[in-house]
Amino acid sequence: MKIQNYIHGQWVEGAGNGTALIDSVTGDLIGHASTEGVDFEKVLHYARTTGGAKLRKMTFQERGNMLKKLAMYLSKRKEQFYEISYRTGATRVDSWIDIEGGFGNLFANASLRKLFPNQPYDVEGDPIDLSRGGRFMAHHILVPKPGVAVHINAFNFPVWGMLEKCAVNWMAGMPAVVKPATSTSYLAEAVVKEIIASGILPEGALQLICGSAGDMLNYVESQDVVTFTGSADTGRKLKAHPKIISESVPFNMEADSLNASILGEDAKPGTPEFDLFVNQVRSEMTVKCGQKCTAIRRIIVPEGLVEDVQIALGKALDKVTIGDPRMKEVRMGSLVSQDQVHEVKLRTQEIAKTASIVYGGQDKIDAIGADPSKGAFISPMVLREDNPFKNTAVHETEAFGPVATIMPYKNIDEATELARMGKGSLVSSIVTNSDKIAKEYVVGAASHHGRILVLNRENAKQSTGHGSPMPQLVHGGPGRAGGGEEMGGLRGIKHYMQRCAIQGSPTTLTEITGIYQPNSAYKETAQHPFQYYWDDIEPGMSLKTHKRTVTDTDIINFANLTWDHFYAHTDITSLKGSIFEKRTAHGYFILAAAAGLFVWPNKGPVAANYGLEECRFLRPIYHNDTMYVRLTCKQKIERDHRGEEMPSGIVKWFVEVFDQNDELTAVATILTMVQKRSPFPEINRSTIDHYISKLTVNHKANWGTMTPQHMVEHLEDQYRYAAAQMGEFEIATPTEHLEKYRETIFNHKPMPKGHQHPLMKKGENEPLKHADLDAAKAKLIEAMDAYEAFFKENPEVRTKNVVFGMMDKFEWDLLANKHFTHHFEQFGILD
């Protein structure tokens, strides 16, 4: 078997034999991987010009939904990846972290689309006024880099390592070339084959290199980004590549580190924290056979508890069964290769020059269901370093396997110093029920760590653990850990974008950013802004309201209604020495009165008040002052459709309240949920007449087997079912799926072509009921009239639909809009 590369939109094999890939459990040959003959310059150019061009045109919402769709697609096919993952030596739990953890990164990054504008680029921070007159200002935008993300990954997480990086660069609008570690590239290849087969990503958004990276870095450019995960030595060599330096290519390095876990002085044997600590260390030593860049390598405990921890950890490790990871009773699989076994033993011996091996260390291994001489098996090993300040090998040497070293400390300052002696780590943890101890350690150690977990009895059940990087948080660390940051929610995405400060007039920057900037020119509207659908609203659309005079009675009544009797509103004798001159209107009265001025009272596209984002009261409004409001669209935010509600988006409105002297007295940003315009024409008597008048017997269906008359009679049946004229039948949709099916009535997605109606014959047309097409058209109109009359007489009734269950008139109308449009498109009679 030859592991393939995916380049230039094709699966190709490298020339020559390449590198042999070995099953970590059985020692069998899996295949060979080679990149000989690959033109890396063309690979990078293809990514920039083909994949990048398409991704950069997509909005954040489109990219996020693309990731969500891909995550769902891969999740349905996960079992095939587990079977392959076993060959890397990973157990089911190990593989879950790698495989489903990778898919989880896609889901998590997909959800970040909600935090970005509905456009291909981002606007960062607040506007900056560069002039006193407010006519010259600045803002920052972030645009996708027109380059390619080159990911050079480690062997331990061939799926997670790939997807946690790609999810971020795809969200930013950048294509990727992935070079997994050759030894486990066969698993990455299997996942990429499914990704490409799905057709979800734009062509060129992902290319895969299985084998040597060759001279690829010779062709990187200033707009590219290179990421590396692996050993610190290799990472430093790549970071010093002449092209990386000369082109100033961003280089993100995530290197293996000597991560430490600290047992708090309060966590004595018998406390929940002591048990949590031991279980965490055992888990971090044995998950993925210790082949995790975040695994615990240094176990730092109070000097009086060293023996207790050593004994308890030994008992916990005694329960760890080693062998074929496919077997349920096995808790730890193998290392990735025999070479890695040799490497781990060599590094352990270096630490053992001053430390003592107090657990494991024997060559004899009882491997369940496997031959230990053929597989890359190794037993867990615990060392003990009693003088960790003098003997520093434990802080400088990493055995990348199930190996960790216990060391003592006298006080929390010593524990912090020992943790920092690792010279930079990806993660540390402290297990304590004392918030005082936790604070002292975190503040002292944070400078040397990318992440710190504080674990105690309160959060243990929900904690994701010491060694689990989360997509919402940065993954990386200073010093030895590489000095880089991956993931981190919005931070990670911005790593693949260029930040640019733009300067200009507020009106110009409004058009560039897509966000209304204060002092920008208003766009007066032909009708009230609340009468527009979300699709038709633009930033800058504005309304100036009529005026209202605030009276003493208004203020007193509001105080009595809210029980807000603050002296400035109710006791004018106490104003002396205050900032107020007269009886003052409540700030929230001003806000409420402003809403009364700008709200459109009639039912329309505005579905609900969604909230208040910011509010400031700049000047008082006194009794007998007159106020008016300027309401302006500030920004539009996409919103996912969910449940049985009409599709909608969020509109941010900038509210400016002025007094009779045109002085600005208050500003606020309010949010409304605004319905989106339906893509389906409203079906009523007039539209049906219009469309079916164009239908003739000569029309041919664009899909399916229906004739024009069959289609018209089918639509007639919908009205007959709605008006309860079609007799008894059972709802075909299982109860547990009914809610999900009903949601589709409300969304704006077209009905799928070729859908089989449960009450119609499969593979053949229903017998015709009427003499000809004209008669069928007449019966359709008759059925619609009967439907309208039925619900006029029974406005609250719900009638049965075979697919969607019980439906009211509103839901039947929605279904008609979508259903009739579907069939009118089928016969090409829509305008």
Side-chain angles (χ1 to χ4, degrees), residues 133-188:
R135 308 315 302 169
F136 183 59
M137 63 168 296
H139 218 145
H140 289 87
I141 65 170
L142 293 113
V143 297
K145 290 177 178 286
V148 54
V150 178
H151 300 310
I152 303 171
N153 295 336
F155 65 79
N156 50 343
F157 289 104
V159 182
W160 181 86
M162 172 174 62
L163 294 181
E164 61 101 357
K165 295 177 180 178
C166 286
V168 179
N169 66 246
W170 287 332
M171 270 301 291
M174 202 174 195
V177 172
V178 176
K179 189 266 177 251
T182 305
S183 59
T184 54
S185 59
Y186 53 90
L187 178 52

Coordinates of all heavy atoms in Angstrom, one line a residue, residues 133-188:
G133 N -13.4 67.7 15.9 CA -14.6 67.9 15.2 C -15.3 66.6 14.8 O -16.5 66.6 14.4
G134 N -14.7 65.4 15.0 CA -15.3 64.2 14.7 C -15.4 63.9 13.2 O -16.2 63.0 12.9
R135 N -14.7 64.6 12.4 CA -14.8 64.4 10.9 C -13.6 63.6 10.4 O -13.5 63.3 9.2 CB -14.9 65.7 10.2 CG -15.9 66.6 10.6 CD -17.3 66.0 10.9 NE -17.8 65.3 9.7 CZ -18.8 64.5 9.7 NH1 -19.4 64.2 10.9 NH2 -19.2 63.9 8.6
F136 N -12.6 63.2 11.3 CA -11.5 62.4 10.9 C -11.3 61.3 12.0 O -11.2 61.7 13.2 CB -10.2 63.3 10.7 CG -9.0 62.5 10.3 CD1 -9.1 61.8 9.1 CD2 -7.9 62.5 11.0 CE1 -7.9 61.1 8.6 CE2 -6.7 61.8 10.6 CZ -6.8 61.1 9.4
M137 N -11.3 60.1 11.6 CA -11.3 59.0 12.6 C -10.5 57.8 12.0 O -10.0 57.8 10.9 CB -12.7 58.6 12.9 CG -13.5 58.0 11.7 SD -15.0 57.2 12.2 CE -14.4 55.9 13.2
A138 N -10.4 56.8 12.9 CA -9.7 55.6 12.5 C -10.4 54.4 13.1 O -11.2 54.5 14.1 CB -8.3 55.6 12.9
H139 N -10.2 53.2 12.5 CA -10.7 52.0 13.0 C -9.7 50.9 12.5 O -8.9 51.1 11.6 CB -12.1 51.7 12.4 CG -13.0 51.0 13.4 ND1 -14.3 51.2 13.5 CD2 -12.7 50.1 14.4 CE1 -14.9 50.5 14.5 NE2 -13.9 49.8 15.0
H140 N -9.7 49.7 13.1 CA -8.9 48.6 12.7 C -9.7 47.5 12.0 O -10.8 47.2 12.5 CB -8.1 48.0 13.9 CG -7.1 48.9 14.4 ND1 -7.3 49.8 15.4 CD2 -5.7 49.0 14.1 CE1 -6.2 50.5 15.7 NE2 -5.2 50.0 14.9
I141 N -9.2 47.0 10.9 CA -9.9 45.9 10.2 C -8.8 44.8 10.1 O -7.6 45.0 10.2 CB -10.4 46.2 8.8 CG1 -9.3 46.6 7.9 CG2 -11.5 47.3 8.9 CD1 -9.8 46.7 6.4
L142 N -9.3 43.5 10.0 CA -8.5 42.4 9.8 C -9.0 41.7 8.6 O -10.2 41.3 8.5 CB -8.6 41.4 11.0 CG -8.0 41.9 12.3 CD1 -9.0 42.1 13.3 CD2 -6.9 41.0 12.8
V143 N -8.1 41.5 7.6 CA -8.4 40.8 6.4 C -7.7 39.5 6.3 O -6.6 39.4 6.8 CB -8.1 41.7 5.2 CG1 -9.0 43.0 5.2 CG2 -6.6 42.1 5.1
P144 N -8.2 38.5 5.6 CA -7.5 37.2 5.4 C -6.1 37.4 4.7 O -6.1 38.2 3.7 CB -8.4 36.4 4.6 CG -9.7 37.0 4.7 CD -9.5 38.5 4.9
K145 N -5.1 36.8 5.2 CA -3.8 36.9 4.4 C -4.0 36.1 3.1 O -4.5 35.0 3.1 CB -2.7 36.2 5.3 CG -2.3 37.0 6.5 CD -1.2 36.3 7.3 CE -0.7 37.1 8.5 NZ 0.1 38.2 8.1
P146 N -3.5 36.7 2.0 CA -3.6 36.0 0.7 C -2.5 34.9 0.5 O -1.9 34.9 -0.6 CB -3.5 37.1 -0.3 CG -2.7 38.1 0.4 CD -3.0 38.0 1.8
G147 N -2.2 34.2 1.6 CA -1.2 33.2 1.5 C -1.7 31.8 1.8 O -2.9 31.5 1.6
V148 N -0.9 30.9 2.3 CA -1.3 29.6 2.6 C -0.7 29.2 4.0 O 0.4 29.7 4.4 CB -0.7 28.6 1.6 CG1 0.8 28.7 1.4 CG2 -1.1 27.1 2.0
A149 N -1.5 28.5 4.8 CA -1.1 28.0 6.1 C -0.4 26.7 5.9 O -1.0 25.7 5.4 CB -2.2 27.9 7.0
V150 N 0.9 26.6 6.3 CA 1.7 25.3 6.2 C 1.8 24.7 7.5 O 2.4 25.3 8.4 CB 3.1 25.6 5.6 CG1 3.9 24.3 5.5 CG2 3.0 26.2 4.2
H151 N 1.1 23.6 7.7 CA 1.1 22.9 9.1 C 2.0 21.7 9.1 O 1.8 20.7 8.3 CB -0.3 22.5 9.4 CG -1.3 23.7 9.5 ND1 -1.0 24.8 10.2 CD2 -2.5 23.8 8.9 CE1 -2.1 25.6 10.1 NE2 -3.0 25.1 9.3
I152 N 3.0 21.7 9.9 CA 3.9 20.6 10.1 C 3.6 20.0 11.4 O 3.9 20.6 12.5 CB 5.4 21.0 10.0 CG1 5.6 21.7 8.6 CG2 6.3 19.9 10.1 CD1 7.0 22.4 8.5
N153 N 3.0 18.8 11.4 CA 2.4 18.3 12.7 C 3.2 17.1 13.2 O 4.0 16.5 12.6 CB 1.0 17.8 12.4 CG 0.1 19.0 12.0 OD1 0.3 20.1 12.4 ND2 -1.0 18.7 11.3
A154 N 2.9 16.8 14.5 CA 3.5 15.7 15.2 C 2.8 14.4 15.0 O 1.7 14.3 14.5 CB 3.6 16.0 16.7
F155 N 3.4 13.3 15.4 CA 2.9 12.0 15.2 C 1.8 11.6 16.1 O 1.0 10.7 15.9 CB 4.0 10.9 15.3 CG 4.6 10.7 16.6 CD1 4.0 10.0 17.6 CD2 5.9 11.3 16.9 CE1 4.6 9.9 18.9 CE2 6.4 11.2 18.2 CZ 5.8 10.4 19.2
N156 N 1.7 12.2 17.3 CA 0.8 11.7 18.3 C -0.7 12.0 18.1 O -1.5 11.3 18.6 CB 1.3 12.2 19.7 CG 1.5 13.7 19.7 OD1 1.6 14.4 18.7 ND2 1.5 14.3 20.9
F157 N -1.0 13.1 17.4 CA -2.4 13.4 17.1 C -2.6 13.7 15.6 O -2.7 14.9 15.2 CB -2.9 14.6 18.0 CG -3.0 14.2 19.4 CD1 -2.0 14.6 20.3 CD2 -4.1 13.5 19.9 CE1 -2.1 14.3 21.7 CE2 -4.2 13.1 21.2 CZ -3.2 13.6 22.1
P158 N -2.6 12.7 14.8 CA -2.7 12.9 13.3 C -4.0 13.5 12.9 O -4.1 14.1 11.8 CB -2.5 11.5 12.7 CG -2.8 10.5 13.8 CD -2.4 11.2 15.1
V159 N -5.1 13.4 13.7 CA -6.4 14.0 13.3 C -6.6 15.3 14.0 O -6.8 16.4 13.4 CB -7.6 13.0 13.6 CG1 -8.9 13.6 13.2 CG2 -7.4 11.7 12.9
W160 N -6.5 15.3 15.3 CA -6.7 16.5 16.1 C -5.7 17.6 15.7 O -6.0 18.7 15.5 CB -6.6 16.2 17.6 CG -6.8 17.4 18.5 CD1 -8.0 17.9 19.0 CD2 -5.8 18.2 19.0 NE1 -7.8 19.0 19.8 CE2 -6.4 19.2 19.8 CE3 -4.4 18.3 18.9 CZ2 -5.7 20.2 20.5 CZ3 -3.7 19.3 19.6 CH2 -4.3 20.2 20.3
G161 N -4.4 17.1 15.6 CA -3.4 18.1 15.3 C -3.6 18.8 13.9 O -3.3 20.0 13.8
M162 N -4.2 18.1 13.0 CA -4.5 18.7 11.7 C -5.8 19.6 11.8 O -5.7 20.7 11.3 CB -4.8 17.5 10.7 CG -5.3 18.0 9.3 SD -5.4 16.7 8.1 CE -6.6 15.5 8.9
L163 N -6.8 19.1 12.4 CA -8.1 19.8 12.3 C -8.1 21.0 13.3 O -8.8 22.0 13.0 CB -9.3 18.9 12.6 CG -9.5 17.8 11.6 CD1 -10.7 16.9 11.9 CD2 -9.7 18.4 10.2
E164 N -7.4 20.9 14.4 CA -7.4 22.1 15.3 C -6.7 23.3 14.7 O -7.0 24.4 15.0 CB -6.7 21.7 16.7 CG -5.2 21.3 16.6 CD -4.3 22.4 17.0 OE1 -4.7 23.5 17.3 OE2 -3.1 22.1 17.0
K165 N -5.8 23.0 13.8 CA -5.1 24.1 13.1 C -5.9 24.6 11.8 O -6.2 25.8 11.6 CB -3.7 23.7 12.6 CG -2.8 23.5 13.8 CD -1.4 23.0 13.3 CE -0.5 22.7 14.5 NZ 0.8 22.2 14.0
C166 N -6.4 23.6 11.1 CA -7.1 23.9 9.8 C -8.4 24.6 10.1 O -8.8 25.5 9.4 CB -7.4 22.6 9.0 SG -5.9 22.0 8.2
A167 N -9.1 24.2 11.2 CA -10.4 24.9 11.5 C -10.2 26.4 11.7 O -11.0 27.2 11.2 CB -11.0 24.3 12.8
V168 N -9.1 26.7 12.3 CA -8.8 28.1 12.5 C -8.4 28.9 11.3 O -9.0 30.0 11.0 CB -7.7 28.3 13.6 CG1 -7.4 29.7 13.9 CG2 -8.1 27.6 14.9
N169 N -7.6 28.3 10.4 CA -7.2 29.0 9.2 C -8.3 29.1 8.2 O -8.5 30.1 7.5 CB -5.9 28.5 8.6 CG -6.0 27.1 8.0 OD1 -5.3 26.2 8.5 ND2 -6.8 26.9 7.0
W170 N -9.2 28.1 8.2 CA -10.3 28.1 7.3 C -11.3 29.2 7.7 O -11.9 29.9 6.9 CB -11.0 26.7 7.2 CG -10.3 25.7 6.5 CD1 -9.4 25.9 5.4 CD2 -10.3 24.3 6.7 NE1 -8.9 24.7 5.0 CE2 -9.4 23.7 5.8 CE3 -10.9 23.5 7.6 CZ2 -9.2 22.3 5.7 CZ3 -10.7 22.1 7.5 CH2 -9.9 21.5 6.6
M171 N -11.5 29.3 9.0 CA -12.4 30.4 9.5 C -11.9 31.7 9.1 O -12.6 32.7 8.9 CB -12.6 30.3 11.0 CG -13.7 29.4 11.5 SD -15.3 29.9 10.9 CE -15.5 31.4 11.8
A172 N -10.5 31.9 9.1 CA -9.9 33.2 8.8 C -10.0 33.4 7.3 O -9.8 34.6 6.8 CB -8.5 33.2 9.3
G173 N -10.2 32.4 6.5 CA -10.3 32.5 5.0 C -9.0 32.2 4.3 O -8.6 32.7 3.3
M174 N -8.2 31.2 4.9 CA -6.9 30.9 4.4 C -6.9 29.4 4.1 O -7.3 28.6 4.9 CB -5.8 31.3 5.4 CG -4.5 31.4 4.9 SD -3.4 32.0 6.2 CE -2.0 32.6 5.2
P175 N -6.3 28.9 3.0 CA -6.1 27.5 2.7 C -5.0 26.9 3.5 O -4.2 27.6 4.1 CB -5.8 27.5 1.2 CG -5.1 28.8 1.0 CD -5.7 29.8 1.9
A176 N -4.9 25.6 3.5 CA -3.9 24.9 4.3 C -3.2 23.8 3.4 O -3.8 23.1 2.6 CB -4.5 24.3 5.5
V177 N -1.9 23.6 3.7 CA -1.1 22.5 3.3 C -0.7 21.8 4.5 O 0.0 22.4 5.3 CB 0.1 22.9 2.4 CG1 0.9 21.6 2.1 CG2 -0.4 23.5 1.1
V178 N -1.1 20.5 4.7 CA -0.9 19.8 5.9 C 0.2 18.8 5.7 O 0.1 18.0 4.7 CB -2.1 19.1 6.5 CG1 -1.8 18.3 7.7 CG2 -3.2 20.2 6.8
K179 N 1.2 18.8 6.5 CA 2.3 17.7 6.5 C 2.2 17.0 7.8 O 2.9 17.4 8.8 CB 3.6 18.4 6.2 CG 4.7 17.4 5.9 CD 5.5 17.1 7.2 CE 6.5 16.0 7.0 NZ 6.2 14.7 7.6
P180 N 1.5 15.9 7.9 CA 1.5 15.2 9.2 C 2.8 14.4 9.3 O 3.6 14.2 8.4 CB 0.3 14.2 9.0 CG 0.2 14.0 7.5 CD 0.7 15.3 6.9
A181 N 3.1 14.0 10.6 CA 4.3 13.2 10.8 C 4.1 11.9 10.0 O 3.1 11.3 9.9 CB 4.4 12.8 12.3
T182 N 5.2 11.5 9.3 CA 5.1 10.4 8.3 C 4.7 9.1 9.0 O 3.9 8.4 8.4 CB 6.5 10.2 7.7 OG1 6.9 11.4 7.1 CG2 6.4 9.2 6.6
S183 N 5.1 8.9 10.2 CA 4.8 7.6 10.9 C 3.3 7.3 11.1 O 2.9 6.1 11.1 CB 5.5 7.5 12.2 OG 5.1 8.6 13.1
T184 N 2.5 8.3 11.2 CA 1.1 8.1 11.4 C 0.3 8.8 10.3 O -0.9 9.1 10.5 CB 0.6 8.6 12.8 OG1 1.0 10.0 13.0 CG2 1.2 7.8 13.9
S185 N 0.9 9.1 9.2 CA 0.2 9.9 8.1 C -0.9 9.1 7.5 O -1.8 9.7 6.9 CB 1.2 10.3 7.1 OG 1.9 9.2 6.5
Y186 N -0.9 7.8 7.7 CA -2.0 7.0 7.1 C -3.3 7.3 7.7 O -4.4 7.2 7.0 CB -1.6 5.5 7.2 CG -1.3 5.0 8.5 CD1 -2.3 4.5 9.4 CD2 0.0 5.0 9.0 CE1 -2.0 4.1 10.7 CE2 0.3 4.5 10.3 CZ -0.7 4.1 11.1 OH -0.4 3.6 12.4
L187 N -3.4 7.7 9.0 CA -4.6 8.1 9.6 C -5.1 9.4 9.1 O -6.3 9.7 8.8 CB -4.5 8.1 11.1 CG -5.7 8.5 11.9 CD1 -7.0 7.7 11.5 CD2 -5.5 8.3 13.4
A188 N -4.1 10.4 9.0 CA -4.5 11.7 8.4 C -5.0 11.6 7.0 O -5.9 12.2 6.6 CB -3.3 12.6 8.5

